[in-house]
Amino acid sequence: MAIKKIITSGCSFTDIKFSDTWPCVLKEKYPNIDFDFLGLESSGNELIQKRATLAVTEALTQYQPEEILVIVMWSTHDRKTFFLDLHQVKDLIDYWKNDNSPFNVSFQFTDLKTKLKNPIVIEKPNKNATIMRASMSDGWFNLHNSHGTQFCKLFYNDIHNLTAGINITLENILFLNMFCEKHNVKVVNTFIMDSQLEFIQSSNHQINKHLANEFSKLDIVPAIHDYLNTFNDNSLFRDDKQHPNWEGHQLYVDNLLLPWIHKKYSILLPS
């Protein structure tokens, strides 16, 4: 049976608002497939999983399991997600307005469909002027270690560690894959960088070793960043030299992602 629904989830590498990411390439190739685009910049693996799981649950009310394909590009282990209620959101927004640290994330307090329920714009009036689009409602608060706020500095200096981050990643990857397997939905796993996979493979801590053993049973598509680096061609990346551009994403989709999907699942993707 042909695939009729594709769910994509991830971080900035998967975010379609940049218009040059691999989900955009897939949509151009397969305009007759129904897509759920759930990538959002700065997302950690907890939120990547939660969005995909909800999308699969909803898709199963409209499609047969064999008509659904989930493709997830997992992010880095350092990112953390908190769900805040409206009171907490208001307090944090008030704090941000008086804090001199720049924003390093453009969206906060989205729902599990990457939407802002009651959107507002916060701009910092200083030499490091940055803009954040936030939701004046409950929602998901994303952290990663490039954020400049004092709360982020406290979290990453005094609370976060790599072992715990790997644990969060493993639990969420395994949950999504087991959920999809239970419902007979096909899922494709990859990472933005192979280093994240290597961290998992080298983790021998008690809280991770048994999870890593289960993870090792999954088939993982090689990471886009490392694949494109083999070409030694900066023209495949945006100016930041980290995120692939349209040409890079297209090369990855055509040469690696789609061949892997066809080999693994022998599925039909109608044009």
Side-chain angles (χ1 to χ4, degrees):
M1 187 176 291
I3 294 296
K4 297 181 180 179
K5 177 76 168 186
I6 294 179
I7 297 165
T8 65
S9 190
C11 60
S12 55
F13 281 68
T14 308
D15 194 334
I16 65 166
K17 74 171 177 289
F18 295 111
S19 75
D20 63 356
T21 52
W22 58 270
C24 300
V25 176
L26 287 178
K27 182 61 177 176
E28 183 177 89
K29 288 180 174 294
Y30 305 111
N32 295 321
I33 290 180
D34 181 20
F35 281 84
D36 271 353
F37 298 117
L38 300 172
L40 187 66
E41 62 176 285
S42 300
S43 294
N45 292 324
E46 293 166 291
L47 202 46
I48 290 170
Q49 174 271 123
K50 293 177 191 297
R51 292 178 186 136
T53 301
L54 176 61
V56 171
T57 302
E58 294 181 342
L60 286 168
T61 66
Q62 297 178 283
Y63 299 93
Q64 296 300 311
E66 58 269 28
E67 297 174 325
I68 303 170
L69 176 64
V70 182
I71 310 176
V72 182
M73 186 171 283
W74 300 99
S75 189
T76 57
H77 306 305
D78 63 311
R79 301 180 180 184
K80 178 63 181 170
T81 301
F82 299 93
F83 184 80
L84 303 186
D85 63 26
L86 178 58
H87 176 74
Q88 293 168 316
V89 167
K90 288 180 177 179
D91 285 348
L92 196 50
I93 288 175
D94 287 340
Y95 167 77
W96 281 335
K97 289 178 179 178
N98 296 303
D99 179 40
N100 290 324
S101 302
F103 296 131
N104 289 320
V105 60
S106 299
F107 290 84
Q108 287 285 17
F109 315 128
T110 61
D111 63 14
L112 288 180
K113 297 184 179 181
T114 72
K115 306 300 182 184
L116 297 172
K117 296 178 184 176
N118 297 301
I120 62 171
V121 175
I122 309 168
E123 184 171 0
K124 288 197 175 283
N126 56 41
K127 64 180 181 180
N128 295 318
T130 49
I131 295 176
M132 176 193 292
R133 289 169 177 82
S135 180
M136 189 59 77
S137 65
D138 58 16
W140 295 94
F141 176 39
N142 298 318
L143 293 179
H144 66 71
N145 62 12
S146 68
H147 293 179
T149 64
Q150 290 300 317
F151 178 80
C152 291
K153 293 176 183 177
L154 172 65
F155 178 80
Y156 285 104
N157 288 338
D158 299 337
I159 300 174
H160 171 77
N161 60 78
L162 180 59
T163 299
I166 292 172
N167 183 260
I168 290 171
T169 293
L170 284 168
E171 287 183 341
N172 282 279
I173 291 177
L174 292 175
F175 178 88
L176 178 63
N177 279 265
M178 287 188 289
F179 182 83
C180 289
E181 182 179 6
K182 175 184 177 182
H183 293 282
N184 298 312
V185 172
K186 299 175 180 66
V187 60
V188 177
N189 300 280
T190 186
F191 286 87
I192 61 173
M193 297 178 182
D194 281 332
S195 60
Q196 305 308 306
L197 176 60
E198 292 163 2
F199 283 134
I200 291 174
Q201 293 169 335
S202 62
S203 179
N204 292 315
H205 195 281
Q206 180 193 47
I207 68 170
N208 290 331
K209 191 171 182 178
H210 63 298
L211 299 176
N213 287 338
E214 290 299 313
F215 172 84
S216 68
K217 300 173 186 178
L218 302 177
D219 292 324
I220 307 296
V221 182
I224 184 170
H225 190 273
D226 299 77
Y227 173 70
L228 294 180
N229 274 340
T230 64
F231 293 92
N232 196 28
D233 184 356
N234 287 335
S235 70
L236 299 175
F237 293 86
R238 298 181 200 152
D239 291 341
D240 64 9
K241 301 298 188 291
Q242 179 177 357
H243 293 84
N245 58 22
W246 176 270
E247 289 74 19
H249 281 282
Q250 189 172 46
L251 189 64
Y252 177 75
V253 167
D254 290 342
N255 292 1
L256 198 57
L257 184 60
L258 286 180
W260 190 96
I261 292 172
H262 289 305
K263 182 179 180 180
K264 173 73 174 178
Y265 291 123
S266 301
I267 57 178
L268 299 174
L269 292 172
S271 58

